[in-house]
Amino acid sequence: MAAGIELIGDLGYLLLFSAAIGIIAYILKQPLVLGFLVAGILIGPFGPFSLIKDTTMLTNFSEIAIVLLLFGVGLAFPITQLRNIGKIGAVIAVIEVLAMLGIGFAVGWAFGWSTMDSMFLAAALSISSTAIIVKVLEEMDVIEEPSSMLIIGVLVIEDIIAAVLISTLHSSVLSGAFSFDQMIWEIAKISMFIGGTVALGCLGMPKVFSLLSNIPRYEITILVALGLAFGLSFLSHELGFSAVTGAFLAGVILAGSRFSEDIINLITPIREVFIAIFFVTIGALMDINIIAEYWLPIIIITLVTIVGKTASVYLGVRLFRLGPNNAMGIGLSMAQLGEFSFIVLMVGQDLGATSSFLFPIVGMVVVLSTIFAPFLIKRGTKMLVSY
Amino acid sequence: MELEFAQPFVRPFLDKISSTPSSSELIIQDFAVIMIIASIMALISYKLKQPMIMAFIIAGMIIGPNTPPFSLITHVEILHVFAEIGIILLLFVIGMEFPIEKLKNVGKKATFIAVAEASGTFMAGFVVTQAMGFTFFDSLFVSLAISVTSTVIIMKVLEELGMIKDEATYLIVGIAVIEDIIIISLLAVLQSVASTGDLTVNEVGMSITLVIAFIVGVIVLGSKIVPRCVNLVGKTEHSELLIIAVLGVAFGLSFVAFKLDISVATGAFFAGVLVAESKMRIATKIIATPIRDMFGALFFISVGALMDIKQLPLFIIPAVILIIVSFSAKFITVWAASRAQRLGKTTSLKTGIGLSSSGGELALVAAKGGADVGATSSFVLPMVGTMTIITTFISPYLIKYGWKLTSRLESKEAGSSGTK
């Protein structure tokens, strides 16, 4: 009990501190996510206050947070909708990811980093943040616009690609070499997993839900939803994929049911708490001393990310004969990084594949791109309205 | 300590899994196991119309290390943390039902009844344990342990029965919280008595002053600061800011209370009281409830996981005797005290039944407090553990059927007086 209670104390001031910084972020009209990151940097072991020394429990919380995050994203995505924007979203996402992978690797190589570092950098730069972009779009009240739906579609497909990427990176680091066969095999496996889960889920779940619908107990609904989310995450992890894929799929399966509204309402507060802790943890794990040393690569990578993403998404959207304004708008909205970069880097760090400087550098790039994101998205959505 | 005895069971599992690359993902495994088993048990208990607590406790026993075949989870320590969070959230949400106004209304009555109950049960327990041939200190700590009522269990059962707005409920909660405070202060006093060998007025005075200072401080100072801050956060209209701010208050205050040797539950309860003073009370309650439900379930699961059923036969006889003693002592004192406070017949009966089942996490804390200072014999802690297992199983039914019976009596009376 004693150890538990110390953690309660830690959590107490972590939350109070994040709330305080969150209010400052609100007053300065910055996304809350940024506030949480800053709060984490301030109270983390490398920060000036260094209030939190033991980050083990925080990383445990982050694992749960990632599952809840993607579960929530999936919940907002019924399968029918996924099908509607599937094709166009997939093309744009693939173009963007491939372009950023190439650019990222080239940049890493140009800095003279090792192949592994460059590979992880490339992967980290390739995926935009669903959580941050969705949150900004929500805050700006444009989430219902068709262009926002397209953006989210692209983001979600990116998330799936990210799952493949992480799995591929994971296994290629373990096997010691990157192999193309490996990637094809991963894609085949993950498609099978996604197809199988969705098919089974859509066949089996309605029965479970008709059973549940008679139960006026919200706690059972919560437990079942969380059981599905964590169960599928774990299954996906055991099969060698990233846990986030399973979490997302659990959300997608539930999104089709008529409970999705209820579940979203019930899960949202839980999710918000864990996500706040997640971003604080990310901030806390960042060693800001390294940043002073590597300011040049940070700036270069940030610029490359924003320009590269805008350009590649612009190209992708133009392929579908949408107006240049529209394409530019969507491109600008996508020009940032987020939690996936951290997940990729954490995988790299856990496996001991990357150098220690990579995490704080990319972390700082994420922070910078998060600062720019609201401006860019505002810009972007204005362009969209004008067409 | 729970961790230590769990180790042999967990070890082979840990070894098996530590070969996988990312150990942190095991948290997801634990969560998956817990959530799936808990939801299955919850569905079964719903079908069988049993209290939900039972479902979670049994789920915990299946998951936990003490029942065969082995522990299904790897991070037992995580379970402790989540259980702690569970207690805090349960009491926090309860506290939100008690703005200071309402607290004042029930405060006096509740304090009177709680003092009567705690001292009555304590004395009855002491007499009986002495008669059973316990040593002096064993008697003291066991009596203290059986004076405890589990606030968390009572609340959960009442909520499930849809009784949360009943007059008796407010009273019961008030009494249970005050009782928690009394027990914890008594424990501190007993511990210092046991270690120094004598009882000084100073110490008793100190611990009482500390408790009163905490409560007065929280209510006077806290009600000036916290509601305003919460209103400020509420103005941003970001629900996530609101929820992390109020949880921060809850965890923070619980931690402070713990550091002052007042129970975590008390801190959490008063955090809820303070938040209830703000304009955001309803919004907060809506967003805090799902989190409470999740961690509340985790709390009961961890209670189940840490139960060792194998202990049951060893101490069954003294445990049953003591349960009967504490049950009757509590019922009689609470009922009599409520009647003395001019409460209605039914309310008194309901309150008596509601508070009569002893046990809960504080009972174990009390027993462990005795063991920590080396005052009690080695059998006391497992015996109190056995009692807690039994009462945890019995209380939901006791409250459920006791209240139903009272309601029936009430309607019968109303019926007969109506015909007159």
Side-chain angles (χ1 to χ4, degrees):
Chain A
M1 246 183 186
I5 193 70
E6 290 299 330
L7 268 159
I8 299 297
D10 275 6
L11 272 180
Y13 57 69
L14 185 149
L15 291 173
L16 285 176
F17 207 88
S18 331
I21 306 261
I23 290 176
I24 296 175
Y26 171 79
I27 292 169
L28 299 177
K29 297 202 162 73
Q30 294 299 316
L32 293 180
V33 178
L34 190 64
F36 297 149
L37 282 173
V38 173
I41 293 174
L42 289 177
I43 60 175
F46 303 110
F49 300 112
S50 161
L51 287 169
I52 289 172
K53 274 145 202 117
D54 181 21
T55 48
T56 337
M57 186 53 80
L58 288 185
T59 30
N60 284 339
F61 270 87
S62 312
E63 287 298 328
I64 297 167
I66 295 168
V67 170
L68 290 174
L69 188 79
L70 266 290
F71 180 54
V73 175
L75 271 178
F77 249 87
I79 294 173
T80 44
Q81 207 174 9
L82 208 57
R83 217 181 284 152
N84 283 343
I85 36 171
K87 214 180 98 190
I88 177 164
V91 173
I92 298 174
V94 168
I95 291 177
E96 186 202 340
V97 170
L98 286 180
M100 286 315 293
L101 278 176
I103 295 171
F105 193 82
V107 169
W109 189 73
F111 283 138
W113 292 353
S114 73
T115 319
M116 273 295 168
D117 285 343
S118 306
M119 249 167 69
F120 274 95
L121 176 70
L125 296 189
S126 61
I127 309 294
S128 302
S129 161
T130 315
I132 296 171
I133 294 178
V134 167
K135 200 157 268 178
V136 175
L137 290 175
E138 268 172 15
E139 279 176 25
M140 289 173 42
D141 214 21
V142 291
I143 195 87
E144 304 287 333
E145 305 282 324
S147 57
S148 300
M149 292 323 286
L150 179 60
I151 293 175
I152 297 174
V154 175
L155 286 170
V156 168
I157 291 163
E158 273 189 21
D159 286 350
I160 297 173
I161 299 176
V164 178
L165 263 179
I166 292 175
S167 304
T168 316
L169 275 176
H170 204 253
S171 46
S172 54
V173 168
L174 285 183
S175 63
F178 173 79
S179 69
F180 198 69
D181 291 355
Q182 182 71 41
M183 202 171 101
I184 300 289
W185 173 229
E186 286 295 336
I187 293 174
K189 267 205 313 194
I190 207 159
S191 320
M192 259 153 52
F193 176 62
I194 292 173
T197 319
V198 170
L200 273 180
C202 292
L203 287 178
M205 282 333 248
K207 275 187 194 133
V208 177
F209 289 127
S210 64
L211 188 77
L212 276 176
S213 65
N214 304 321
I215 298 178
R217 280 275 161 69
Y218 282 128
E219 15 181 2
I220 300 188
T221 319
I222 295 180
L223 284 177
V224 173
L226 289 177
L228 188 67
F230 285 101
L232 272 182
S233 302
F234 178 56
L235 183 68
S236 142
H237 170 69
E238 283 292 280
L239 293 174
F241 312 124
S242 131
V244 293
T245 318
F248 175 73
L249 287 176
V252 171
I253 292 172
L254 286 173
S257 77
R258 56 205 161 87
F259 290 96
S260 56
E261 285 278 307
D262 277 354
I263 295 174
I264 289 175
N265 287 339
L266 291 171
I267 292 294
T268 305
I270 302 178
R271 205 176 145 232
E272 283 173 344
V273 172
F274 275 99
I275 291 173
I277 296 176
F278 173 65
F279 284 113
V280 173
T281 309
I282 288 170
L285 292 179
M286 239 185 266
D287 186 351
I288 44 172
N289 301 322
I290 293 187
I291 291 165
E293 211 175 308
Y294 290 96
W295 58 273
L296 191 62
I298 291 173
I299 293 175
I300 293 176
I301 296 173
T302 310
L303 288 177
V304 164
T305 307
I306 293 176
V307 175
K309 288 209 168 211
T310 312
S312 55
V313 175
Y314 177 84
L315 272 177
V317 179
R318 288 294 279 164
L319 275 183
F320 289 93
R321 297 177 198 291
L322 286 164
N325 273 344
N326 240 345
M328 199 62 198
I330 295 176
L332 283 174
S333 306
M334 303 279 297
Q336 53 73 264
L337 299 174
E339 64 281 3
F340 260 110
S341 314
F342 289 115
I343 299 174
V344 166
L345 292 172
M346 272 185 181
V347 169
Q349 216 165 41
D350 281 353
L351 295 174
T354 53
S355 316
S356 60
F357 61 81
L358 197 61
F359 191 88
I361 289 182
V362 179
M364 207 54 213
V365 173
V366 175
V367 172
L368 286 176
S369 73
T370 308
I371 297 176
F372 293 136
F375 305 114
L376 294 176
I377 296 178
K378 217 172 262 177
R379 261 285 139 105
T381 35
K382 266 191 197 136
M383 290 179 146
L384 290 173
V385 174
S386 67
Y387 83 97
Chain B
M1 64 139 213
E2 289 90 339
L3 216 62
E4 280 158 25
F5 72 74
Q7 273 305 314
F9 301 92
V10 182
R11 180 65 53 191
F13 233 72
L14 273 180
D15 287 346
K16 193 190 120 202
I17 287 162
S18 55
S19 56
T20 52
S22 167
S23 67
S24 50
E25 292 213 69
L26 295 173
I27 295 294
I28 293 174
Q29 178 192 0
D30 288 351
F31 253 65
V33 168
I34 291 171
M35 293 297 166
I36 290 170
I37 295 182
S39 42
I40 293 170
M41 294 312 293
L43 284 173
I44 293 174
S45 88
Y46 179 80
K47 282 276 162 211
L48 300 176
K49 293 199 164 62
Q50 297 304 309
M52 204 63 68
I53 299 183
M54 298 315 296
F56 296 146
I57 290 176
I58 293 173
M61 292 169 75
I62 297 172
I63 294 164
N66 292 318
T67 26
F70 45 73
S71 173
L72 294 175
I73 52 165
T74 50
H75 291 67
V76 182
E77 78 280 3
I78 277 272
L79 212 48
H80 287 291
V81 175
F82 285 149
E84 202 76 55
I85 296 177
I87 297 180
I88 291 174
L89 285 171
L90 285 162
L91 268 294
F92 175 67
V93 174
I94 294 167
M96 273 197 282
E97 294 289 334
F98 283 84
I100 293 176
E101 196 65 20
K102 201 179 272 171
L103 202 65
K104 273 186 193 148
N105 285 343
V106 291
K108 236 176 82 187
K109 284 178 194 160
T111 313
F112 178 79
I113 299 171
V115 171
E117 182 202 349
S119 44
T121 317
F122 187 81
M123 280 186 290
F126 188 74
V127 171
V128 172
T129 44
Q130 284 286 300
M132 285 162 78
F134 283 27
T135 68
F136 179 69
F137 278 118
D138 284 353
S139 285
L140 278 184
F141 281 99
V142 170
S143 311
L144 186 67
I146 67 170
S147 309
V148 176
T149 310
S150 175
T151 320
V152 175
I153 293 176
I154 294 174
M155 284 312 301
K156 194 77 194 147
V157 175
L158 292 180
E159 199 169 282
E160 258 174 54
L161 293 174
M163 303 284 191
I164 205 78
K165 298 281 177 203
D166 201 286
E167 188 202 348
T169 306
Y170 283 119
L171 194 62
I172 289 180
V173 175
I175 297 171
V177 170
I178 293 166
E179 208 191 49
D180 278 0
I181 299 170
I182 297 177
I183 300 286
I184 293 285
S185 353
L186 265 180
L187 177 65
V189 173
L190 278 188
Q191 275 185 315
S192 71
V193 171
S195 46
T196 55
D198 62 348
L199 183 66
T200 60
V201 184
N202 260 349
E203 266 160 27
V204 181
M206 261 299 283
S207 82
I208 292 173
T209 320
L210 195 64
V211 169
I212 292 175
F214 177 76
I215 295 173
V216 171
V218 164
I219 288 180
V220 174
L221 273 179
S223 68
K224 293 223 165 57
I225 301 165
V226 175
R228 274 185 206 163
C229 292
V230 174
N231 284 339
L232 191 74
V233 176
K235 270 197 200 132
T236 64
E237 287 179 357
H238 278 296
S239 63
E240 63 255 75
L241 272 186
L242 183 61
I243 190 72
I244 60 174
V246 296
L247 287 186
V249 171
F251 291 151
L253 209 53
S254 305
F255 185 65
V256 171
F258 175 80
K259 281 285 161 195
L260 294 172
D261 279 336
I262 307 167
S263 74
V264 172
T266 311
F269 176 82
F270 281 104
V273 171
L274 291 179
V275 172
E277 287 293 302
S278 75
K279 286 181 203 142
M280 306 309 297
R281 177 175 163 227
I282 297 180
T284 312
K285 209 183 157 215
I286 292 171
I287 48 180
T289 306
I291 305 179
R292 193 268 323 253
D293 285 344
M294 173 183 164
F295 284 103
L298 284 170
F299 166 72
F300 291 111
I301 290 166
S302 78
V303 168
L306 299 173
M307 268 184 189
D308 191 353
I309 280 265
K310 288 189 278 312
Q311 284 182 353
L312 262 181
L314 294 177
F315 303 100
I316 191 89
I317 296 166
V320 168
I321 295 175
L322 284 170
I323 287 170
I324 294 169
V325 169
S326 80
F327 172 82
S328 20
K330 283 181 176 196
F331 179 72
I332 293 166
T333 49
V334 173
W335 182 76
S338 314
R339 291 299 281 165
Q341 291 284 311
R342 296 169 196 283
L343 287 166
K345 243 185 216 166
T346 355
T347 310
S348 306
L349 270 180
K350 279 184 174 176
T351 315
I353 294 168
L355 287 164
S356 59
S357 50
S358 64
E361 61 294 339
L362 261 187
L364 286 171
V365 172
K368 193 164 176 293
D372 283 347
V373 293
T376 54
S377 320
S378 57
F379 72 91
V380 168
L381 188 56
M383 190 185 75
V384 172
T386 311
M387 286 176 55
T388 308
I389 296 177
I390 299 173
T391 51
T392 310
F393 272 98
I394 296 174
S395 337
Y397 296 101
L398 196 73
I399 298 174
K400 194 173 166 184
Y401 294 112
W403 278 38
K404 268 190 187 159
L405 201 69
T406 336
S407 306
R408 204 174 294 162
L409 281 178
E410 185 182 29
S411 59
K412 206 185 255 175
E413 230 164 64
S416 61
S417 65
T419 50
K420 260 177 205 170

